[in-house]
Amino acid sequence: MKRITCISGLAVMLLISCTIISFFIDRQMLPQAILAESRPVEGEHEKILLPSPAVKEDGGGTYVLMAETGDNWEEGLRVKRIPADRLERKGDLVVTNAAGKGRYVVYATKPLSDGQEIGGESLGGTRRDRYLVVPNSEAQLPETAGAGGFALLEKEEGFFLLADDSSSRPFMEERTQELIFGERLENVRVFSLQDAEYFFSCLPLLAAAALLAFLPGVLWCAACRVLSCGKKGIAFCIGAFVSALACFCALPLLLGSVSLPSSLLPEDNLFDLAHYGHEFSVIFACLGESSLSETGEFLHGCQKSSCLAGMILVCGFLLSAGLVAFERIKFPCCRSPGAPVRERILLLRPGSAKGCRGPADGAAYRNRRR
């Protein structure tokens, strides 16, 4: 019964940790989007005006993404793909024959598919940002790149750095490319160094969250071993239970303070390490050739955050090992030494343990039975 209770309790704790982490992953994987309200066209009931970037095109044709509020299992703000045509351009707007009045996606931090949930509706604040632009051989830096708030910080072979004192949040690569080049270019990457810096600043918090998710299981296993060790064992179990409960309370609070930049996250799997390796290898390879002091400070800050996260994980491992060692030293064995488990079971058989004081007496009893 004790073994079943311990295994069941461990399974429940793992389930709680996994549920909290699952909610965090779902929240992080929601792409951020900028929405625009459609405008009617005078005298044309079947046509609307939208910002030009809202009308998109791919191998399946021209389309728009309408944002609708779902219900039941599909609650939240979701996008619906609607075929549309560019009929006429009026300044920054375009006349299209889409579904009608509503809100449409203009920019998004990730490519969106039909029925996908989105997590943002508008731009946040503005702040100074630096952009790393890695073009292909055909992309050239426009002569007017310094206009409109952009300033050229450095240009090297294979990349260049731009600064913007009033960049909009959240960073959206497609939107920034259009601001820099005037159009969306294939095989040209734009990275926000502000997003990359914030991503690394979140690593210590994620390492602490991993420790809080793992520690309750260690505490529970240790408590199960000392449960039958008298008053001291019960006191240890109570302390372990309170500590595990505190971890479960602190874990969602800690994860709630983390908001990873969507521009650097994979499309499907948050734990896709190959994606992070590719993205940051491009960033660090370019910035390693830069001579700017700002770039050196950025690399140093990323390295410092990574080391701090590693130290937290190592400390968590040492804490778990120390807890196990303390339990084994403080409560070396709660059973009386001597008889193995099978012999002690025989000694406790009804009518057989009377007068038996140890393994030798138990053996004598079995010989008499033979």
Side-chain angles (χ1 to χ4, degrees), residues 16-38:
I16 294 174
S17 296
C18 291
T19 302
I20 295 174
I21 294 175
S22 177
F23 279 115
F24 167 75
I25 293 175
D26 291 341
R27 182 170 62 88
Q28 297 300 317
M29 294 303 292
L30 290 180
Q32 303 296 311
I34 301 175
L35 305 182
E37 192 81 22
S38 63

Side-chain angles (χ1 to χ4, degrees), residues 278-292:
H278 176 267
E279 295 289 279
F280 289 111
S281 64
V282 173
I283 295 175
F284 292 149
C286 294
L287 297 184
E289 302 177 4
S290 175
S291 59
L292 294 178

Side-chain angles (χ1 to χ4, degrees), residues 306-321:
S306 300
C307 292
L308 180 59
M311 290 177 59
I312 291 175
L313 292 176
V314 171
C315 290
F317 174 78
L318 294 177
L319 177 62
S320 301

Side-chain angles (χ1 to χ4, degrees), residues 77-327:
L77 196 63
R78 297 182 178 272
V79 296
K80 180 180 180 181
R81 178 171 172 144
I82 302 172
D85 295 323
R86 293 186 181 92
L87 302 180
E88 182 184 355
R89 191 179 183 93
K90 294 184 177 181
D92 294 334
L93 301 178
V94 63
V95 179
T96 179
N97 58 347
K101 185 178 180 181
R103 294 181 298 172
Y104 294 84
V105 175
V106 182
Y107 297 104
T109 53
K110 296 179 184 178
L112 301 178
S113 58
D114 189 23
Q116 185 174 0
E117 185 179 1
I118 56 178
E121 297 186 31
S122 61
L123 292 172
T126 59
R127 60 180 177 181
R128 187 175 188 272
D129 201 351
R130 294 153 293 170
Y131 301 119
L132 171 65
V133 183
V134 186
N136 59 12
S137 57
E138 299 178 356
Q140 299 294 328
L141 180 66
E143 296 180 359
T144 58
F150 290 99
L152 179 62
L153 297 179
E154 185 177 21
K155 184 176 182 180
E156 298 290 343
E157 184 178 357
F159 75 94
F160 48 84
L161 288 170
L162 298 175
D164 185 6
D165 292 331
S166 58
S167 64
S168 302
R169 299 285 94 194
F171 164 76
M172 297 187 178
E173 184 177 0
E174 182 182 2
R175 177 177 181 272
T176 307
Q177 278 200 13
E178 292 185 357
L179 292 175
I180 295 174
F181 296 100
E183 59 180 338
R184 178 74 168 89
L185 299 178
E186 297 294 334
N187 301 322
V188 177
R189 297 301 312 276
V190 180
F191 299 95
S192 168
L193 298 189
Q194 201 77 18
D195 277 7
E197 187 174 13
Y198 181 72
F199 180 91
F200 276 90
S201 68
C202 292
L203 292 183
L205 296 177
L206 294 177
L211 174 61
L212 291 178
F214 173 74
L215 191 58
V218 178
L219 291 169
W220 180 260
C221 292
C224 288
R225 286 178 54 86
V226 302
L227 187 60
S228 58
C229 294
K231 293 182 179 180
K232 291 185 178 181
I234 294 176
F236 181 88
C237 292
I238 294 175
F241 180 78
V242 172
S243 300
L245 187 61
C247 290
F248 285 134
C249 293
L251 180 59
L253 296 177
L254 184 60
L255 292 178
S257 64
V258 177
S259 180
L260 296 174
S262 183
S263 62
L264 293 171
L265 299 183
E267 293 185 17
D268 301 319
N269 183 12
L270 186 64
F271 300 101
D272 186 0
L273 300 181
H275 170 84
Y276 298 118
H278 176 267
E279 295 289 279
F280 289 111
S281 64
V282 173
I283 295 175
F284 292 149
C286 294
L287 297 184
E289 302 177 4
S290 175
S291 59
L292 294 178
S293 59
E294 290 184 59
T295 303
E297 293 176 0
F298 166 80
L299 295 175
H300 179 71
C302 294
Q303 184 180 13
K304 184 178 178 181
S305 298
S306 300
C307 292
L308 180 59
M311 290 177 59
I312 291 175
L313 292 176
V314 171
C315 290
F317 174 78
L318 294 177
L319 177 62
S320 301
L323 181 64
V324 173
F326 171 79
E327 179 266 326

